[in-house]
Structures are given as structure tokens and as C-alpha cells.
Amino acid sequence: YYELEGAVFYIAPFLCYVINMIINTFIRSKILREYIFIEGKFNLDTQYFINQINKGLKQEDNKTFQTNVQGGMTSYIFFLQDKKFLQTILPALDHIDNNFDPDPYHLGEAWGVKNIFTNYTQNHAHGNSYISGSIFLNNSEQGLFFEQINKTIPAIAGNFVLFSSFLKHRTTKRIDKFDDEKYSLAFNLFNTLK
């Protein structure tokens, strides 16, 4: 920085700006924020969902390697009208309704994921949704990690998590078994009032 006849200049490689402003306050900080986080276990027909995911991955609208999931992924709406999927998650949604005071919401997305050797999910949040969920369909070393709250959900068949969609989450690269697959379901609930 340097000053020349009352103007302040910032010099960066190949750039020079005249600054015509005064910043009175600049704050970059974290604040406490209320969130929902529910971990549990479903008793579900995992083989049915694994078979459905494999069918969905063959469809043209699959999202394989097109999202934060760096692996196999069905379309975002693949399980949206699936009766067994809805029967599976409705008790968890009832739990949210009965134990929290949620804003009105609706199920807007429900998809399946298949990860093989080296596949993973990048760190991300579901910023445009309200509550998100994930359900593991088989056992794997590749759990789901929530850095902001330092919590890992183990990838054990039937384990599920529901969480406020702004919570960032990820998996590590899949290196536990070269010739095996990890399957899971994921879904987003959207705020109906928005």
C-alpha cells in the first residue's frame, strides 16, 4: 500500500486500484446456529434398493460423476415416487414433526449412490434445501463425516442420518475393498414456504 496526494493505492501483480471507500467495520466470524441432527437405524430391504440403484445408473438421466458425488449416482428424482422408499423415511419425518417445530416442508429429491474403489463424495452442503438425509444400504469403511460438528456416521447397513442441509459433509476416497461396492440413498426436504 502507498499514498500519493490523498489517494490510497493497493499494488498487486498486474493490478492497481484506487480505493475510494472507508471501511468502518469488517467482521468475519462464526456464529452459533440451531441445527437438526438425527442418527438412527432403519430395518429395510437393502437388496431392493441396491437393485433399484443399479437400474437407475443405467438410465440416461443418471448423475454419475456430475455432482459432488464422484461415483455412481441416479437422477435426483429417481426414488421420489418409490413406495418402499417413502415407507422407509416416513417414520423419521414423523419424528421431526413430533420433536421439533419445523417449517413446512416437502420431499423434493431422493436419489441413490454407488461407490466403488477410489469413489467419494466431495465436501459440500445442500444449501437450497431445508433438511437432508442419507441411508446406508451395506457395510463399508467409508462413513459420512460432518466436519462442523465433528461427527462421523458409520457406513453400516440401515444406519441413517437426518440433518440441517447447511451442514457440510463428505466421505473419504473409497480404498477399503478393490472389488466391492458401497450403496446409499440420499434425499432433500425443501421448505414449502420459499
Side-chain angles (χ1 to χ4, degrees):
Y1 297 90
Y2 70 93
E3 190 172 333
L4 178 65
E5 295 181 17
V8 177
F9 291 87
Y10 169 70
I11 305 295
F14 311 108
L15 297 173
C16 180
Y17 296 104
V18 175
I19 300 174
N20 281 335
M21 70 175 172
I22 296 172
I23 298 173
N24 292 326
T25 305
F26 175 82
I27 298 173
R28 181 174 181 176
S29 180
K30 294 183 180 185
I31 60 171
L32 295 177
R33 184 173 178 186
E34 184 177 87
Y35 63 90
I36 292 173
F37 193 88
I38 302 168
E39 179 183 359
K41 191 168 187 88
F42 285 125
N43 181 15
L44 71 163
D45 182 355
T46 57
Q47 194 56 54
Y48 166 80
F49 290 111
I50 289 170
N51 291 341
Q52 291 300 106
I53 289 170
N54 285 328
K55 288 178 188 176
L57 293 175
K58 294 176 184 174
Q59 295 183 357
E60 282 186 33
D61 63 349
N62 78 71
K63 298 295 180 189
T64 298
F65 289 100
Q66 297 176 43
T67 69
N68 292 305
V69 174
Q70 297 301 294
M73 181 176 157
T74 67
S75 76
Y76 280 110
I77 60 170
F78 186 77
F79 284 101
L80 207 51
Q81 300 298 321
D82 186 283
K83 185 177 178 181
K84 281 194 175 190
F85 175 76
L86 296 172
Q87 288 173 332
T88 298
I89 68 165
L90 285 177
L93 302 185
D94 283 343
H95 181 80
I96 289 173
D97 295 342
N98 294 329
N99 293 283
F100 298 92
D101 187 22
D103 293 337
Y105 62 84
H106 65 277
L107 179 64
E109 297 172 332
W111 64 95
V113 174
K114 176 184 177 181
N115 279 341
I116 58 173
F117 189 68
T118 73
N119 291 174
Y120 68 102
T121 301
Q122 297 172 335
N123 198 31
H124 69 289
H126 300 214
N128 60 340
S129 56
Y130 178 51
I131 298 171
S132 299
S134 185
I135 306 167
F136 294 109
L137 299 175
N138 61 344
N139 297 344
S140 167
E141 296 296 318
Q142 190 184 45
L144 188 60
F145 180 62
F146 293 83
E147 186 174 325
Q148 293 160 298
I149 60 173
N150 194 28
K151 182 74 175 165
T152 299
I153 307 302
I156 298 172
N159 275 6
F160 76 88
V161 61
L162 297 170
F163 55 94
S164 295
S165 299
F166 61 80
L167 290 174
K168 289 189 173 187
H169 52 285
R170 64 177 170 82
T171 68
T172 56
K173 288 185 174 64
R174 182 111 199 283
I175 59 171
D176 54 328
K177 293 185 180 176
F178 180 76
D179 59 349
D180 203 4
E181 296 103 7
K182 175 198 153 197
Y183 289 89
S184 60
L185 300 168
F187 56 95
N188 284 325
L189 307 173
F190 291 89
N191 189 318
T192 301
L193 298 178
K194 287 187 177 183

